[in-house]
Amino acid sequence: MVPARVIAVSPLALVIFALSGCSSMGCTDTTAERGKAGARVHVVNTYEQPLGVTAAVVDWRLEPHPQEPTEGDRVHFRFRFEGADEYTGAAVDACAVDKERVALGCQTIYSNQAFGPADDPLTGDEWLAVEHPEQVAGVLLIPNDQSYDRRTCEVDLKDGGGIHPPEPPSRGDQL
């Protein structure tokens, strides 16, 4: 049997514990599942809810980068973000893939990089360096928004935690 004095003090101890900042003992980090890659994707947040933004690969080709022509061919691709504005700031991972959809090289592209010509201001371009450009069969986008990554519990036990975007894809990942 628990003494009445312990029962009376327990709620007070919990309040003090919570007010002292120790309430974050329940801080948890989770990582969202990586969405299915495609040449055109609907960007989703970490809860897999659509952001109302579509990202698409407009075209791609192999060619030397104009500032480093002696480095050989790179993947030069154009992309488009529809539904994004300066406030939504969506970002997705773009990967050059082989015919088996294995990533050969990846990087994150942001909607604010889309600054195309006046007749298509939603379009931008980027370059990917890959070890074997002759193996590139296409460029795919991963739908998970990478523009916001909250603090982790490890970094900030009090204010961190929650769902984080999936880990960025790496060379060799099956998409």
Side-chain angles (χ1 to χ4, degrees), residues 131-153:
E131 192 171 329
H132 297 285
E134 70 280 359
Q135 294 178 353
V136 176
V139 176
L140 299 179
L141 305 175
I142 299 173
N144 306 88
D145 182 29
Q146 296 288 337
S147 65
Y148 175 73
D149 191 11
R150 66 178 76 228
R151 290 179 251 174
T152 63
C153 292

Side-chain angles (χ1 to χ4, degrees), residues 17-121:
F17 189 65
L19 292 176
S20 69
C22 297
S23 63
S24 58
M25 295 297 285
C27 185
T28 58
D29 287 316
T30 55
T31 302
E33 292 276 329
R34 184 181 293 162
K36 183 170 173 52
R40 180 178 179 83
V41 297
H42 297 286
V43 183
V44 296
N45 65 16
T46 53
Y47 298 98
E48 297 183 21
Q49 298 169 333
L51 296 179
V53 175
T54 301
V57 175
V58 176
D59 62 26
W60 69 273
R61 62 191 167 281
L62 295 175
E63 62 186 359
H65 191 285
Q67 294 175 343
E68 298 170 338
T70 60
E71 298 292 318
D73 282 343
R74 293 192 183 176
V75 180
H76 183 204
F77 68 99
R78 289 187 326 122
F79 58 90
R80 180 175 176 80
F81 280 90
E82 295 174 3
D85 60 27
E86 59 194 83
Y87 303 108
T88 55
V92 295
D93 289 318
C95 297
V97 296
D98 67 11
K99 63 184 177 185
E100 306 288 324
R101 294 176 60 113
V102 173
L104 301 172
C106 302
Q107 71 183 50
T108 303
I109 56 171
Y110 295 84
S111 59
N112 64 5
Q113 288 176 283
F115 54 85
D119 59 331
D120 194 4

Side-chain angles (χ1 to χ4, degrees), residues 7-23:
I7 293 174
V9 173
S10 294
L12 180 60
L14 288 175
V15 168
I16 292 171
F17 189 65
L19 292 176
S20 69
C22 297
S23 63

